[in-house]
Amino acid sequence: MLTYWNNYPTIQNKLQTVCSLIEERLKVENPDIQDALIEMTQAGGKFLRPAFFFFFSDLGNPEKQDSDQLIKIAASLELLHMATLVHDDIIDDSPLRRGVATIQSRFGKDIAVYTGDLLFTVFFDLIIETMNASEYMAVNALAMKQLLLGELNQMASRYNSKGSVENYLNNINGKTAELFSLACLEGAAFGQTSPEIVTQASEIGRNIGMAFQIFDDILDYTADKKELKKPVLEDFVQGVYTLPLLLAKEAQPDVFSPYFEKGSQVTLAEAEEVMKLVIKHGGVKQAKKYAQRYTNDALESIDRLPKSDTRKALKKLTTQLLIRTY
């Protein structure tokens, strides 16, 4: 649990406190569902959003900070993320998440829907406790709206053979980058940094989120199934056409046309053929350039932050996210 942060012991300790708070708040009468929720919390998630929250809060003034408030806001970010994962697994009919059976595969879609809803309510509880009557209630509401619109737009684009790179980027800006942006923004704001740093934090988080999702989609074509801890090629089989495929299709439309025509009837064997073709025709290579571009934009903005050990750590972490294997 949280071994990803072994080189950042201060952040790791804070994240452990966040994890404990989440477990404390996730109380249900059904012991099996209770265990599944705790297992999901502990099953190898990186806790990236609360981690970035803490990195940016570390840029502020400790004497003006409320440590209990910071822990609760960090937990709210992870809970919002967890809720979307539970609902994603229902939509995708995913059997695994982080190497363990998903809630929907263990208990059925009905229970999984309510479990995801419960996570949303705990998220609401925490933001009410920490930022009630502040402008950040509206900020959270807007972020959640953008996140869900990104997911809905992605669903509307399923099996769309005419899907574009622009449409893909718009979708991940909502469904992934928005929450990274929120995490960095709130870390800077509740960490009592300057208004200038708060603005920078939002921009940095958005670029990191874009790069993160693009690289995540690259891993769907390149990663080992055991290391990725979820089925590879899942997106393609589900009709979610991500950047590596879209770029390869732009280069060789005739090669990929027969597979797109299959739509929901595509087989796993055909999906594996597509994976090889995406790599052969430069889809992965070109997608990596997009991820690197967003990462470079984030790094340039980080360089404008005040000099500190935290700034160095942020640069290191942002760079590391492009060389991960899961």
Side-chain angles (χ1 to χ4, degrees):
M1 174 60 194
L2 298 177
T3 54
Y4 191 82
W5 303 102
N6 285 346
N7 293 328
Y8 306 90
T10 301
I11 296 294
Q12 188 178 50
N13 289 337
K14 291 177 181 179
L15 293 178
Q16 188 59 62
T17 304
V18 167
C19 184
S20 297
L21 176 61
I22 291 174
E23 292 177 9
E24 176 187 318
R25 293 298 182 104
L26 294 180
K27 301 294 184 183
V28 295
E29 292 185 6
N30 185 312
D32 291 334
I33 297 174
Q34 176 79 48
D35 290 345
L37 283 168
I38 299 305
E39 188 175 39
M40 182 181 182
T41 306
Q42 297 180 345
K46 300 182 189 71
F47 275 51
L48 279 172
R49 294 140 192 91
F52 275 109
F53 171 87
F54 285 125
F55 275 117
F56 277 93
S57 70
D58 284 348
L59 295 172
N61 185 346
E63 294 181 1
K64 295 182 180 180
Q65 295 173 2
D66 180 336
S67 59
D68 183 60
Q69 180 190 49
L70 294 179
I71 293 295
K72 287 182 176 180
I73 296 173
S76 76
L77 292 161
E78 187 65 18
L79 281 160
L80 179 55
H81 177 53
M82 288 172 63
T84 63
L85 294 183
V86 172
H87 284 169
D88 279 352
D89 290 339
I90 297 166
I91 294 165
D92 297 338
D93 203 24
S94 298
L96 294 174
R97 169 70 66 177
R98 298 170 178 169
V100 301
T102 57
I103 290 175
Q104 68 91 20
S105 69
R106 292 170 66 174
F107 304 107
K109 294 184 183 295
D110 292 350
I111 288 177
V113 167
Y114 288 124
T115 301
D117 291 347
L118 174 66
L119 292 168
F120 280 126
T121 66
V122 181
F123 158 74
F124 291 134
D125 285 341
L126 288 171
I127 62 172
I128 288 170
E129 290 175 23
T130 54
M131 57 188 79
N132 195 23
S134 83
E135 63 182 304
Y136 283 92
M137 290 289 289
V139 170
N140 272 267
L142 180 59
M144 185 174 175
K145 179 180 179 180
Q146 295 304 317
L147 189 157
L148 295 175
L149 285 173
E151 293 284 5
L152 284 170
N153 290 338
Q154 177 177 281
M155 285 187 65
S157 301
R158 286 195 170 195
Y159 299 111
N160 179 8
S161 61
K162 297 181 181 179
S164 66
V165 170
E166 181 182 7
N167 185 52
Y168 163 85
L169 294 175
N170 286 335
N171 290 344
I172 69 167
N173 183 50
K175 76 165 198 162
T176 301
E178 185 69 30
L179 190 49
F180 275 91
S181 178
L182 178 67
C184 298
L185 166 72
E186 290 191 334
F190 290 93
Q192 307 300 321
T193 68
S194 69
E196 292 76 18
I197 292 178
V198 171
T199 300
Q200 284 178 268
S202 178
E203 176 189 344
I204 292 167
R206 191 167 301 280
N207 281 317
I208 289 172
M210 294 292 287
F212 178 85
Q213 184 60 60
I214 291 169
F215 198 79
D216 226 37
D217 293 334
I218 290 169
L219 290 176
D220 200 40
Y221 287 90
T222 62
D224 178 82
K225 179 179 177 180
K226 291 181 180 179
E227 204 163 11
L228 194 59
K229 298 183 180 180
K230 67 177 183 178
V232 296
L233 301 174
E234 185 176 47
D235 282 342
F236 178 71
V237 172
Q238 295 288 342
V240 178
Y241 303 146
T242 56
L243 189 60
L245 175 60
L246 293 172
L247 292 170
K249 186 193 75 167
E250 281 188 355
Q252 297 288 337
D254 292 341
V255 170
F256 291 94
S257 179
Y259 298 97
F260 278 91
E261 290 173 0
K262 291 269 188 176
S264 61
Q265 303 303 310
V266 69
T267 65
L268 184 57
E270 289 167 335
E272 289 174 351
E273 292 173 11
V274 168
M275 177 182 70
K276 295 174 184 177
L277 290 169
V278 165
I279 295 171
K280 177 182 177 180
H281 293 292
V284 167
K285 183 178 180 180
Q286 292 303 313
K288 284 182 178 179
K289 291 182 179 179
Y290 274 78
Q292 188 64 63
R293 194 178 310 148
Y294 283 109
T295 296
N296 289 344
D297 288 345
L299 292 172
E300 288 176 10
S301 296
I302 291 170
D303 270 333
R304 295 196 293 273
L305 295 171
K307 289 184 179 179
S308 65
D309 289 340
T310 298
R311 188 179 80 170
K312 291 179 182 178
L314 271 171
K315 289 187 69 174
K316 181 180 179 181
L317 174 60
T318 300
T319 302
Q320 285 177 330
L321 290 178
L322 282 192
I323 56 175
R324 59 195 166 92
T325 55
Y326 65 96

